[in-house]
Amino acid sequence: MGPSFPPPAAKPNSRHTVALVGPPNAGKTTLFNRLTGLRQKVANFPGVTVEQHTGRAKISAQRDVFLIDLPGIYSLKPCSEDERVTHDVVMGTMPGTSKPDAVLLILDATNLTRHLTLAVPILSLNLPTLVILNMADDLRSRGGEVDPAALAAQLGAPVALISASTGEGVEKIFQFLEGTAAADHRRSEPLLQLPVLQTVPRCRQWAMQAGRGSSYQAPAHSAWTRRLDAVFLHPVAGPLVFLLVVIAVFQTIFTGAKPLMDGVQNLVTSSGALIANVLPESIFRSLLIDGIWKGVGSVIVFLPQILLLFLFIGVLEDSGYLARAALIADRSMRRVGLQGKSFIPLLSAYACAVPAILATRTIENKRDRIATIMIAPFMTCSARLPVYTLLIAAFIEDRPLLGGFLGMRATTMLGLYLLGFLAAFGTARLLKSSVLKSEQTPFLLEMPPYRWPTLRSLGLRLYDRAKVFLHRAGTVILVVAVVLWALGSLPLENGKPPAIENSIVGTIGKTVEPLIAPLGFNWKIGVGLITSIAAREVIVGTLGTLYGMDSNTQSVGLQQALQKDLTPGAAVALLIFFAFAMQCMSTIAVVRRETGGWSWPVAQFAYMTFLAYLGGFIANHVMSGAGPSALALFR
Amino acid sequence: MQLSFKKGRLHAGPKPLPGKLSELREGEAGILDRIELPEAVSQRLMELGFIPGTSVTAAQSAPGGDPRVFRVDGTEIALRRETALHLILKR
Ligand SMILES: Nc1nc2c(ncn2[C@@H]2O[C@H](COP(=O)(O)OP(=O)(O)O)[C@@H](O)[C@H]2O)c(=O)[nH]1
């Protein structure tokens, strides 16, 4: 990967690079999004696991400024990986990234004394720096104040009081960017006497003086935050709210997403039928309809569900509740050797393991972080839902249970969630009591004040997610669909596609069949297991393509085709296989990247596949041996 | 800076042991004296505001009393009991 812009040597003055630096939660992301809009890119810094967000800010019709958003830091001491990256970039020693021409230092004005300590190391870099005091709206509404001009005089650097979320004062940033882009006025002499001994207490003392010198009046504690915490952290009400939130998340993605998903499904089906009507019967039509439309369409259907889940996580995170949830969860997480911070990534893993694994970066302790990465793919991610939904609808009769409160299908679904959950925590225990055993690291969690999530920030998150998901559907899954179609239609017999079992894919499937026969799977499932290593949901598309091409099952839907082709034991085995197996290329890739080598992802893949096989084997045998009473639940 | 010590009676002994942050109950405050933890940990704690000489107030906790939120320097930071045990208060 790496930066995709032209090397700086080409035209020395054409690209002007500005780095965004600030402590966590100062509003860096919000400001970055406001300055760049959708003109941004995410990549990785070379050699490390830290993400690099870059984007362009338009300062005039012809001029763009190149912005780099750096990870949130409390100091420039390169202790953690995040801090080292920020340190290297601003020092100009990061390979592939030129030394920034200027710095935007973004600080939370409601927390000025603490945040101003970061100004000491940043200003001593001697780069043109704009000190941005963010959250002006919040500062004012809670009765705080600060004199930016006086602070600027103290710091010897321009100061802008702004609000990244409302856009107030952002024009001052553009003015600064214009100024630095026009003239290369590097400061030659430091304008202020900065503390030479950069110990934290010394910096803090200096920051307090600077604050006093600019008539800084710290805002009153947010009354709302106090009031809300009295409920959310109440010994009884707190855990109840926590439970309600978790239930609400599930309710939304299962019930709320249904009409939207049906809508997308109808759109895919009707558009496919429309095209089929227009095109003449040919091998090309077969490729388009049976290969691409069915394969990709069956995956796109899940977009609404994924977006709803990310919307929920976005609201929880932006509102500040997620930190309280981590606090409440800490005790339970500690039982399995993890900590409250693992809760956030693990909750995200219900949407997708990839962002969850990226979210583990907030865990400072390396061993806790790897343990969290190792168990995250066990959580029931949304890519498993297509598989679960299909098999449950085909094989489980929806009888009311508990007086109609829960259906048999919903219970099965919950059971699968529970299974993944237990596997995750069992594994965490195992890891934390063996290879990843560590002394308990200090659990330090900042409680941000509660805030209203903004539509803008939520919208950008969803846009980002939709882009990633559709990109995958448009690349990996499209390729798999086309390749499969080709393998299933070749070699031609008398210029016509062969019967599916005589095709290449049929041969491959039959080769692996003996291996998976103990689980009750036939060769079609075998093909699905192979293709779904790309991504779990691919198996649905694959089976759709395979049964769609089989003349025996062409006329019936996928559900009926499966009912004819699989025993209930095999169906349950398949469900359990998918609960455990690590069928996802993206996850494997991201684990490799985040753990810095192949050993963890390989071990993880082997372990999860072993559990999946064992679970499927046991399920198939128990179900086949079960009496007719148990089988009566199934059709 | 305002002090509000735990209402502790002085015992007859010559040197009463200094209190620890973990001993504060909800709403009580104390002045931090020192952090008895490895360098890297105490550095991070100081960056978050736990600087010797600063007043720290105990706030709510997770169910069961651990971890607990502490108000320091205008922010709220949650610490586990096992960490708060090593933050020694001025007596
Ligand atoms: N009231 C207010 N909230 C803001 C402002 N800027 C950011 N926020 C909120 O502060 C929180 C942290 O912001 P974020 O951009 O994620 O911070 P980062 O960790 O520095 O990237 C989010 O909930 C934002 O919505 C602002 O100017 N005013």
Side-chain angles (χ1 to χ4, degrees):
Chain A
M1 271 181 245
S4 54
F5 36 85
K11 274 203 229 151
N13 252 346
S14 68
R15 216 190 62 224
H16 193 77
T17 312
V18 177
L20 247 82
V21 183
N25 282 319
K28 256 168 4 74
T29 311
T30 313
L31 182 67
F32 182 74
N33 287 337
R34 183 163 283 279
L35 294 178
T36 61
L38 298 177
R39 296 177 297 271
Q40 42 176 284
K41 274 208 189 88
V42 184
N44 255 48
F45 283 107
V48 287
T49 61
V50 179
E51 266 189 352
Q52 179 190 44
H53 290 255
T54 54
R56 290 174 182 283
K58 210 160 198 53
I59 51 173
S60 70
Q62 311 87 10
R63 264 212 95 104
D64 274 356
V65 166
F66 199 80
L67 290 177
I68 307 182
D69 189 10
L70 293 172
I73 49 161
Y74 290 109
S75 73
L76 256 197
K77 283 223 177 61
C79 284
S80 72
E81 195 162 51
D82 280 358
E83 284 163 353
R84 198 166 58 242
V85 164
T86 304
H87 175 267
D88 288 359
V89 169
V90 294
M91 302 300 278
T93 56
M94 171 63 70
T97 307
S98 54
K99 185 169 173 151
D101 300 289
V103 173
L104 297 179
L105 173 64
I106 174 153
L107 307 176
D108 177 358
T110 65
N111 225 322
L112 193 60
T113 319
R114 194 158 67 100
H115 279 191
L116 212 48
T117 37
L118 184 60
V120 179
I122 297 295
L123 289 176
S124 24
L125 292 170
N126 256 344
L127 290 167
T129 302
L130 175 66
V131 179
I132 297 168
L133 308 182
N134 190 28
M135 318 235 182
D137 53 328
D138 205 12
L139 180 73
R140 232 182 352 251
S141 70
R142 278 158 50 191
E145 58 188 340
V146 65
D147 179 354
L151 186 62
Q154 303 246 342
L155 299 182
V159 175
L161 183 62
I162 70 145
S163 166
S165 57
T166 67
E168 172 193 338
V170 172
E171 71 283 350
K172 286 176 232 157
I173 301 174
F174 281 105
Q175 278 162 22
F176 171 82
L177 292 176
E178 235 169 306
T180 55
D184 199 19
H185 58 70
R186 251 158 230 263
R187 282 176 20 208
S188 46
E189 288 287 319
L191 294 179
L192 75 162
Q193 227 32 62
L194 293 161
V196 188
L197 263 178
Q198 292 190 352
T199 65
V200 182
R202 292 280 306 258
C203 289
R204 181 63 59 108
Q205 218 169 15
W206 173 86
M208 290 224 293
Q209 266 168 21
R212 267 198 295 273
S214 47
S215 32
Y216 178 60
Q217 177 68 54
H221 247 289
S222 159
W224 271 109
T225 295
R226 289 273 165 98
R227 256 173 254 165
L228 287 173
D229 271 343
V231 180
F232 293 160
L233 294 180
H234 186 273
V236 181
L240 275 177
V241 172
F242 179 85
L243 211 65
L244 280 179
V245 167
V246 173
I247 291 174
V249 171
F250 286 138
Q251 199 62 24
T252 313
I253 56 172
F254 285 121
T255 323
K258 189 89 176 52
L260 289 169
M261 291 171 72
D262 290 347
V264 176
Q265 175 76 70
N266 288 339
L267 211 69
V268 170
T269 317
S270 53
S271 60
L274 206 72
I275 298 172
N277 279 338
V278 176
L279 291 176
E281 163 88 57
S282 68
I283 190 117
F284 173 69
R285 188 180 89 171
S286 158
L287 165 66
L288 195 68
I289 303 300
D290 300 331
I292 297 176
W293 225 259
K294 280 207 179 126
V296 175
S298 54
V299 172
I300 300 273
V301 173
F302 293 91
L303 186 61
Q305 196 169 43
I306 290 173
L307 291 186
L308 266 178
L309 188 47
F310 274 104
L311 179 68
F312 233 106
I313 289 177
V315 169
L316 292 184
E317 194 172 345
D318 285 0
S319 65
Y321 182 73
L322 217 45
R324 276 74 184 179
L327 185 72
I328 291 177
D330 185 58
R331 231 174 167 203
S332 323
M333 302 299 285
R334 210 181 327 173
R335 292 232 173 92
V336 291
L338 294 172
Q339 47 152 306
K341 279 189 184 172
S342 304
F343 179 80
I344 296 168
L346 291 178
L347 186 66
S348 325
Y350 280 110
C352 177
V354 174
I357 288 165
L358 297 177
T360 59
R361 288 176 182 166
T362 49
I363 307 169
E364 283 109 7
N365 183 278
K366 191 145 188 187
R367 294 182 160 209
D368 284 358
R369 186 169 164 214
I370 289 185
T372 311
I373 290 176
M374 293 299 279
I375 67 170
F378 275 119
M379 305 316 251
T380 306
C381 69
S382 47
R384 282 181 176 96
L385 292 178
V387 190
Y388 288 178
T389 315
L390 173 72
L391 289 169
I392 288 176
F395 287 92
I396 311 284
E397 201 177 339
D398 204 9
R399 306 182 165 186
L401 289 181
L402 297 174
F405 180 69
L406 261 183
M408 186 63 199
R409 288 182 177 167
T411 310
T412 310
M413 187 67 100
L414 280 176
L416 288 165
Y417 269 83
L418 190 68
L419 205 60
F421 180 84
L422 292 177
F425 287 100
T427 305
R429 251 220 136 106
L430 198 72
L431 285 171
K432 290 298 295 180
S433 58
S434 56
V435 275
L436 291 176
K437 191 170 186 158
S438 59
E439 294 151 53
Q440 298 279 313
T441 31
F443 171 74
L444 307 171
L445 186 67
E446 194 171 343
M447 299 278 132
Y450 291 100
R451 293 201 167 95
W452 280 111
T454 64
L455 281 178
R456 209 187 141 94
S457 129
L458 292 175
L460 268 167
R461 269 169 192 273
L462 294 192
Y463 170 81
D464 219 45
R465 277 309 114 202
K467 212 166 72 175
V468 169
F469 182 77
L470 291 177
H471 183 77
R472 187 156 73 154
T475 53
V476 180
I477 294 167
L478 178 71
V479 168
V480 171
V482 170
V483 166
L484 256 181
W485 173 87
L487 293 179
S489 310
L490 297 173
L492 293 180
E493 286 172 353
N494 311 323
K496 282 179 134 188
I500 187 78
E501 61 264 33
N502 298 331
S503 66
I504 302 176
V505 81
T507 316
I508 300 176
K510 290 200 176 117
T511 313
V512 299
E513 200 171 15
L515 198 66
I516 53 172
L519 282 67
F521 300 164
N522 58 31
W523 64 271
K524 284 179 183 146
I525 305 291
V527 174
L529 292 185
I530 294 169
T531 56
S532 65
I533 291 177
R536 293 180 178 89
E537 66 270 29
V538 171
I539 194 178
V540 176
T542 303
L543 293 179
T545 311
L546 288 178
Y547 284 105
M549 288 161 78
D550 189 335
S551 51
N552 291 325
T553 48
Q554 207 156 30
S555 53
V556 298
L558 184 51
Q559 282 187 27
Q560 287 95 315
L562 282 173
Q563 279 165 17
K564 279 195 208 162
D565 220 33
L566 283 184
T567 64
V572 173
L574 193 55
L575 283 172
I576 289 178
F577 189 92
F578 269 85
F580 291 153
M582 191 186 184
Q583 305 281 94
C584 181
M585 273 180 343
S586 326
T587 308
I588 298 172
V590 83
V591 171
R592 195 208 79 85
R593 205 175 68 178
E594 295 299 299
T595 57
W598 277 111
S599 47
W600 285 113
V602 166
Q604 186 176 26
F605 184 80
Y607 171 73
M608 291 181 75
T609 309
F610 169 74
L611 270 193
Y613 192 92
L614 189 69
F617 181 82
I618 293 173
N620 187 33
H621 281 256
V622 169
M623 289 293 296
S624 320
S629 55
L631 280 173
L633 284 173
F634 298 87
R635 292 206 189 114
Chain B
M1 239 169 264
Q2 92 215 34
L3 319 183
S4 76
F5 284 113
K6 254 174 92 173
K7 294 247 163 37
R9 288 140 303 188
L10 282 175
H11 293 288
K15 257 193 189 169
L17 283 173
K20 296 166 182 166
L21 198 61
S22 55
E23 287 162 8
L24 294 181
R25 277 170 301 176
E26 188 171 333
E28 291 178 338
I31 303 286
L32 191 63
D33 184 56
R34 59 185 190 279
I35 303 176
E36 294 183 340
L37 282 166
E39 171 68 25
V41 181
S42 59
Q43 169 87 16
R44 176 50 43 98
L45 282 167
M46 285 199 283
E47 282 163 12
L48 288 167
F50 292 95
I51 292 178
T54 320
S55 157
V56 184
T57 311
Q60 282 107 338
S61 70
D66 184 24
R68 183 175 287 287
V69 178
F70 293 96
R71 296 204 180 104
V72 57
D73 206 1
T75 43
E76 305 196 326
I77 314 280
L79 300 180
R80 278 187 188 166
R81 182 178 189 80
E82 65 199 22
T83 311
L85 216 60
H86 301 285
L87 275 72
I88 312 298
L89 299 174
K90 268 193 190 130
R91 182 39 290 190

